[in-house]
Each structure stands twice: as C-alpha cells, then as structure tokens.
Amino acid sequence: MDYQTQTLVVSNPTDDSSAIEKAADLLRQGELVAIPTETVYGLAANALDPVAVKKIYEAKGRPQDNPMIVHITSPQALWELTEHIPDSAKKLAEAFWPGPLTMILPRGRLVPDVVTAGMDTVAVRAPDHPVARAVIDAAGVPLAAPSANLSGRPSPTTAEHCKHDLSGRIPLILDGGPCRVGVESTVLSLVTPVPRVLRPGAITPEQIQEVIGVVAVDPAVYQHLEDDAKVMSPGMKYTHYSPKAKVVLVKGEWEKCRAMLREQTEPGVWALVFEEELNSCPVAAFSLGPKENPDAQARNLFALLRQLDEKGAQVVFARAPLDEGVGLAVYNRLIRAAGFMTLEL
Ligand code: TXA
Ligand code: MG
C-alpha cells in the first residue's frame, strides 16, 4: 500500500473513455479503483479475483467478517453469481435496477469466500451511475465494492472524501461529482422466510412491498445489537459513520431542543438541525436540510459529518429526522453515528 493516488475527472463516460479504460485495466490487473455510484463512492475490485478483493479489506482496514456487495450492470449477470434466482428477485430487478437496491441471494459457486466472508449468500446490486456502469462493462467482470471510506468513517459522497481516506492506499479515484442519493443502497434479504430490509436506503420498504408483498424491517435498523448477537448483516454490528465527535440524537420539539442547547456552555458543541431551525439555533450548527425533505438530508448527511470533524466538534446534537420513507435511512445512519445514544425531550 504505497501508491501515488491519481484522480481523474469523468463528467461523461463517452467523452472521458480513456479514464474508464484506465480504471478497467487496473481492475483486470487485480488493483483497486474508487468509483462514483449514485449512492456513495465504492472501492472496487474484480469480484472473481480473491487476491484483489483481499486488498479491499487492507486498504479500508475493514473487519474480515464483513461481506461485500457485488456490482453488475444487468440482471443476466445474476446467473453466474447465484445458485437460484427467486421470482421476487426478478420482479425487483425489473422495478428498481439499475438503482439503489441490493439483494441478498443464495451464493453461486464462482463467488470467492473472501467476497461473502464465508457466508452462503451473496449481496448483489446494479448501480445507476453512468460511470460505475461504464467501468463494470469495460472491466468485463462483476465488481466487489464496499463504500470507499476507511472503515468506521462516514461513507464518501465526493471524490475528495475518497482522497482524504485512501490517498496512498490505492492507485486511482474516478471523480464523477457528488453522489445523487448520498446514503448507501437499501439491503434486502431474499433468503429469509419473509423478505427483510437489513439496511434502509433510497428504495423504501413501502416501494418494495408494492412489488413483492409483505416485507419486514430488521430490528437492527432501529436498535443496538449486543456485540455477540446473531446479526443478519455483519455490517450492522459495527460502529459506523462516526465523526470523531460524540453524537447525540435529539428527539422532541425544537423549542425544547433550543432550551437544552442554550445550557451547553463547554467549547466544541455543535448541532445538526433542520434548515428551518438554523437561524434560531443557539450553538454553532449546520443544516441537515428542510425537515420535510429527506432526499436533501440524505444527500447532505455524510459530508456534514466530515465537516464537523474539520471544525473540531467535540459533541454534536443532531435532530432526529422523520423515520419514514427515505427518512428511515437518514435516521438509521444518524442513530448509528450516535452509537444509539438518544435524548428524548
Ligand atoms: O450503496 C451501496 O450499497 C454502496 C455502493 C458502493 O454500492 N456500497 C456499500 O457497501 O455500502 P458496504 O460494504 O459499505 O455495505 C454493505 C453492507 C454491509 O452492511 C454488509 O454487511 C452487508 O451489506 N452485506 C454484504 N453481503 C451480505 C450478505 N451476504 N448477507 C448479509 N449482509 C451482507
Ligand atoms: Mg460502508
């Protein structure tokens, strides 16, 4: 891990085809490349090359028991990755691919152990970013890609975030601009008796329900799980998305929250509030976005967590977003950034 990390701007895969070719060459040689997707930037490797995939764990400092999502461009590629494609997967691919939905399916024989962390299932998605799609097609192989951050840090939503975390650790970052969604894909298990959302994202449980009927939401989306609890998605048991500051999720009316904030006198206190509240906030604060606009909150969240670090924030009081629709994803990431510490006012 001692690279001169290069960043290439790709505004359009057709005009910038040499950058796409360069990324594809590196991936075929077993190297890592950070690529933009519509959710967050991914750190990609050839999913069928165990030596390459192993480098991802090293570059990120990722626990070896946390499996990765395999990225493809068309549902046809599912045939080489899974043993069996349930009807529900076909319907969901039709409805939401390309897009921010990851499906957990029975693992096929071609998928190396290092991708699935030894599990008998595999996570697959078809991203909806023209650069990600062009790179997968040019490489000609499925790409294993977790978020392109150092393990435990907020996921990267710009090339700058990737550079900050991975400079010197990988040869190439493709800069496709800021991510449209801003939080990671919805992870849906199709190997449970009732399909189950393991991680909420831009595709909501309500939308999934419309296509395949009843869907469960895993309790780990809302609650802390004991370290040794049996978790369906290994990623759910790690502290995540953490800025260096201590984060507290605050529930309740703004007036009560303001009163609580007015009493905070120690240095380094910050707040993450809704846009409507920014002007009347008694401590230093960033706006998460309008209260009724979870899409904007999703887009802003991870960049804000990084900015709070740059500001040297020690304690961050974050307003709890409405946990409906895409808001559930924002709520889930914030409560995990807070290590499940909440304050009810
Ligand atoms: O939007 C996204 O999903 C981004 C972009 C790059 O595609 N990727 C991403 O990957 O967020 P990562 O590795 O940061 O998160 C993948 C999550 C983890 O929580 C992991 O535990 C879970 O998916 N996962 C992967 N394979 C799984 C499996 N076979 N069974 C259960 N959970 C799995
Ligand atoms: Mg991640």
Side-chain angles (χ1 to χ4, degrees), residues 112-233:
D113 264 338
V114 59
V115 171
T116 66
M119 294 173 82
D120 55 7
T121 54
V122 62
V124 190
R125 91 171 183 104
D128 178 31
H129 192 294
V131 174
R133 294 174 61 76
V135 172
I136 299 167
D137 285 339
V141 288
L143 299 180
S147 48
N149 50 288
L150 285 178
S151 198
R153 301 272 301 144
S155 292
T157 52
T158 65
E160 198 53 47
H161 297 159
C162 300
K163 201 193 262 180
H164 182 274
D165 282 16
L166 299 175
S167 203
R169 293 170 170 259
I170 59 172
L172 180 63
I173 299 168
L174 293 187
D175 181 352
C179 299
R180 171 171 65 79
V181 175
V183 292
E184 309 87 343
S185 61
T186 304
V187 175
L188 177 73
S189 176
L190 291 176
V191 300
T192 42
V194 173
R196 181 185 284 237
V197 172
L198 305 182
R199 180 177 74 182
I203 305 292
T204 65
E206 295 82 0
Q207 284 175 291
I208 295 168
Q209 194 144 340
E210 276 177 31
V211 178
I212 58 167
V214 177
V215 179
V217 176
D218 199 87
V221 166
Y222 301 97
Q223 290 160 31
H224 177 60
L225 294 171
E226 295 305 322
D227 283 346
D228 56 358
K230 185 168 176 352
V231 284
M232 301 219 45
S233 186

Side-chain angles (χ1 to χ4, degrees), residues 239-278:
T239 318
H240 249 103
Y241 317 118
S242 325
K244 291 172 191 127
K246 179 176 116 179
V247 179
V248 181
L249 193 66
V250 186
K251 299 182 174 176
E253 291 161 24
W254 175 230
E255 277 315 311
K256 288 184 182 159
C257 183
R258 270 182 76 192
M260 180 276 293
L261 290 172
R262 254 188 248 113
E263 286 165 19
Q264 309 299 320
T265 48
E266 66 275 39
V269 173
W270 278 75
L272 262 186
V273 298
F274 299 119
E275 196 166 292
E276 299 85 337
E277 300 162 350
L278 193 60

